Amino acid sequence: MSEPFGASIEFRSVSKSFPGTAAPALTELNLRIEAGELMVLVGPSGCGKTTTLRLINRLIEPTSGAVLVDGAETTTHAVEVLRRDIGYVIQHVGLFPHRTIAQNIATVPKLLGWSASTIAERVDELAAEVGLDHDLLRRYPAELSGGQQQRVGVARALAARPRILLMDEPFSAVDPIVRSRLQDELARLHQRVGTTIVLVTHDIDEAVRLGDRVAVFATGRLAQVATPDALMAAPADAFVESFLGADRSLRRLALRTLGQLVDRTHTPDAASEVRLDAGLPGRSAVDALLASGADRVAVTESGRVVGHLTLAALTRLLATPDGHT
Amino acid sequence: MLAAQEPLVRWDWLGSHLDLLGERAVEHLGLTVVSFVLGTLIAAVLTSVIRRWRWTTGPITTLTTVLYTIPSVALFAALIPVFGVGTTVPVIALTTYSLVVLTPFLVSAFDQIDPPVLDAADAMGMTRGQRLRSVELPVALPSVIAGLRVTAVTIIGLVTVGGLFGLGGFGDFIDEGLTRDFPTLIVVGVIGSVLLALAADATLVAIGHLASPWRRPRGSSLDAAEAAT
């Protein structure tokens, strides 16, 4: 990871009740998000994850408790000042329909009073960064596809190099293929830029795929915070367990490549057995074992067998909390 | 009943009264512009009140609806004894109708803005004023123009009605034509106000078109753009 210049975020006993609703949206939330971390907030609808996100840039004010960015309460400065240092991407993108793509991306730099030439340079840089064709910059949002609009949304959010990026279901309005590509790009972008990212989703697959850590919300409370692997290895309670689904062992195996799982002590033999490349996800070994009926598969690197995996070995791996041998 | 020998339009009258025609046109336009501007300003204030305090929607809507149900002829007739004959009565009446027609258009123009757009504007750190100037007004503009068009055409029509009470404009021709049994004046009055309405409408359409370049997509190059990524 590059120099993490992102800011830390801390919730101290934050509660939020909306007028006219009986149950609080959020009860006594305590959560620390480290600088440069990609934290995913996940849970069913109405669990308080979006409320939590919007508390960070003060689109929602807490009923009680405090939200801190880099150790300072978010109420220290004018709300506009806070927000201009926090990027924000939402499911419905919310591009300004009357402004060109370039003007949309330039929104916050313009509010901050950057010079026209600096802005133009930054817009070009961002277009390249998020994979937007340069010709699109002069178009209006209505002329772009959903996937392209979402890229513009990300570029606009990152324009003034915010130290925090908030994303509310950013990929749920695009089709699965585009979604998967955008998720990969976000992971790479996070590696490169080092911004703290808080991402809200209801999709547990997206959560474990993207998150450095995952915070699972039940109705108005934080049920568990953990790395994806630790989460699936040891759900804190029945709610988390049911939310993770019945196939969390397979999901856990999907987080690792065969190369990371393989037992390299075995001597290679038996030319007839199933061979899988080390770069494949762990669950492909389970698939191959089930399909072939064999008791082990061979794992190869550049075509050379480097070791084997058996069902028993996979079971042992899953039994260890951190999933390592 | 018109005399059988009287033609619909006496072209020689038209030719010799061009200056009168111009005078009536200016009167008509003047009354329209003044009440249109005043009505728009008041409607803008009412709209911002409604947007700021939602509970005022009901009372304001009720008030404007009640005003709207007063027939224009009755309103003119009721106001003249109070304010006398002059420009005060038509301006009050026409301004009232302007704001009555326009306010619902303005409220819905702003309500139609996609909520995520406003959410994004707030989250980018725009102040209320910045959001209004650089997002809400331009995005609402096409619907605002639609409301202004209806209002302008309505007012021009009502100025014609005001002519029946000696308030000037093309309605004067109609009034006089009816009294004198002179169809040329009626035709001139009707055509004059229709042409004025068409011109006002075309002007507003042109303004809207120029001010909203984003509403005219340059051919659909969406598929080409999609293929390129």
Side-chain angles (χ1 to χ4, degrees):
Chain A
M1 186 183 289
S2 69
E3 198 71 2
F5 85 118
S8 67
I9 303 162
E10 194 176 345
F11 292 87
R12 284 193 190 154
S13 320
V14 174
S15 297
K16 176 66 188 179
S17 302
F18 289 103
T21 51
L26 205 59
T27 314
E28 287 287 309
L29 173 67
N30 285 292
L31 175 64
R32 190 180 154 80
I33 300 167
E34 302 301 333
E37 189 174 23
L38 200 166
M39 173 70 86
V40 179
L41 313 180
V42 69
S45 56
C47 67
K49 56 190 193 295
T50 294
T51 302
T52 303
L53 189 82
R54 291 166 71 91
L55 281 161
I56 298 171
N57 63 354
R58 289 179 62 195
L59 286 173
I60 293 175
E61 302 283 359
T63 308
S64 64
V67 183
L68 288 78
V69 167
D70 261 356
E73 288 198 29
T74 51
T75 49
T76 312
H77 300 290
V79 69
E80 289 83 17
V81 175
L82 174 83
R83 288 175 181 166
R84 288 169 194 176
D85 193 26
I86 300 179
Y88 187 64
V89 178
I90 45 179
Q91 180 188 343
H92 299 289
V93 199
L95 295 181
F96 303 130
H98 61 299
R99 289 185 168 180
T100 63
I101 300 310
Q103 289 170 331
N104 263 283
I105 296 175
T107 305
V108 181
K110 212 163 170 206
L111 288 171
L112 292 170
W114 291 16
S115 76
S117 59
T118 314
I119 292 177
E121 229 168 82
R122 180 66 179 145
V123 168
D124 283 350
E125 189 180 301
L126 281 158
E129 181 94 51
V130 302
L132 271 177
D133 198 79
H134 196 268
D135 290 342
L136 296 178
L137 291 176
R138 282 171 315 163
R139 291 180 197 274
Y140 290 100
E143 300 175 87
L144 269 58
S145 70
Q148 289 169 336
Q149 291 192 18
Q150 198 49 264
R151 287 164 202 268
V152 178
V154 174
R156 180 176 67 173
L158 291 173
R161 300 188 182 84
R163 292 179 308 147
I164 295 173
L165 178 62
L166 307 178
M167 308 183 91
D168 193 355
E169 309 237 2
F171 308 131
S172 50
V174 293
D175 68 70
I177 294 167
V178 175
R179 184 186 311 149
S180 165
R181 201 165 60 202
L182 290 174
Q183 285 171 343
D184 287 344
E185 287 173 12
L186 179 70
R188 279 199 298 273
L189 196 76
H190 180 236
Q191 294 288 312
R192 261 201 318 276
V193 183
T195 301
T196 308
I197 299 181
V198 187
L199 185 145
V200 161
T201 181
H202 59 265
D203 177 358
I204 186 65
D205 285 318
E206 183 166 275
V208 299
R209 182 171 174 184
L210 290 174
D212 292 328
R213 283 193 300 158
V214 176
V216 184
F217 283 75
T219 43
R221 74 182 171 90
L222 180 59
Q224 187 175 4
V225 197
T227 63
D229 194 62
L231 190 69
M232 284 179 290
D237 59 25
F239 170 80
V240 178
E241 192 170 350
S242 78
F243 188 75
L244 293 177
D247 54 349
R248 59 191 164 88
S249 296
L250 282 175
R251 287 179 198 279
R252 236 184 122 197
L253 286 177
L255 292 174
R256 292 203 154 58
T257 63
L258 292 178
Q260 291 169 308
L261 294 170
V262 68
D263 178 358
R264 292 169 191 266
T265 59
H266 284 240
T267 38
D269 58 353
S272 63
E273 67 199 352
V274 179
R275 291 165 176 232
L276 298 171
D277 187 83
L280 290 169
R283 61 197 294 174
S284 60
V286 179
D287 190 73
L289 287 169
L290 290 175
S292 66
D295 59 357
R296 66 179 195 177
V297 291
V299 177
T300 63
E301 277 172 2
S302 328
R304 201 174 53 81
V305 176
V306 294
H308 290 85
L309 271 171
T310 64
L311 205 51
L314 289 172
T315 309
R316 273 199 308 278
L317 288 173
L318 287 171
T320 58
D322 63 355
H324 287 290
T325 42
Chain B
M1 200 63 194
L2 300 173
Q5 68 275 24
E6 180 65 25
L8 199 58
V9 180
R10 282 183 180 275
W11 296 102
D12 53 335
W13 182 93
L14 209 58
S16 60
H17 290 80
L18 283 178
D19 50 341
L20 185 63
L21 218 59
E23 202 178 301
R24 290 281 179 269
V26 168
E27 279 172 6
H28 207 120
L29 199 62
L31 275 177
T32 303
V33 170
V34 170
S35 19
F36 180 78
V37 169
L38 286 175
T40 303
L41 289 177
I42 298 173
V45 170
L46 289 180
T47 304
S48 45
V49 168
I50 286 178
R51 285 180 56 72
R52 189 90 185 231
W53 299 285
R54 276 285 154 184
W55 61 267
T56 60
T57 313
I60 291 177
T61 309
T62 308
L63 180 71
T64 54
T65 311
V66 168
L67 287 174
Y68 195 57
T69 58
I70 303 173
S72 53
V73 174
L75 187 61
F76 283 122
L79 288 175
I80 287 174
V82 184
F83 296 100
V85 184
T87 48
T88 317
V89 168
V91 167
I92 291 176
L94 298 170
T95 301
T96 306
Y97 282 111
S98 296
L99 72 92
V100 161
V101 172
L102 191 54
T103 307
F105 271 101
L106 291 187
V107 172
S108 88
F110 285 95
D111 281 352
Q112 277 166 18
I113 301 174
D114 203 16
V117 169
L118 300 179
D119 201 33
D122 287 337
M124 305 280 121
M126 288 190 189
T127 60
R128 279 192 85 94
Q130 283 167 337
R131 190 180 95 165
L132 180 68
R133 274 195 312 280
S134 59
V135 178
E136 290 174 279
L137 283 174
V139 173
L141 191 76
S143 308
V144 170
I145 294 280
L148 291 177
R149 289 172 61 189
V150 174
T151 309
V153 170
T154 306
I155 297 312
I156 289 169
L158 288 172
V159 173
T160 310
V161 174
L164 303 176
F165 297 87
L167 300 175
F170 288 118
D172 257 16
F173 284 137
I174 300 174
D175 187 33
E176 206 182 332
L178 288 171
T179 321
R180 285 168 48 190
D181 212 0
F182 183 23
T184 300
L185 288 176
I186 301 175
V187 172
V188 166
V190 170
I191 291 182
S193 40
V194 169
L195 287 181
L196 202 58
L198 289 175
D201 196 51
T203 308
L204 287 167
V205 169
I207 292 173
H209 197 70
L210 288 175
S212 311
W214 53 284
R215 296 281 292 224
R216 319 171 230 138
R218 297 153 277 197
S220 187
S221 37
L222 195 71
D223 300 33
E226 185 85 78
T229 42

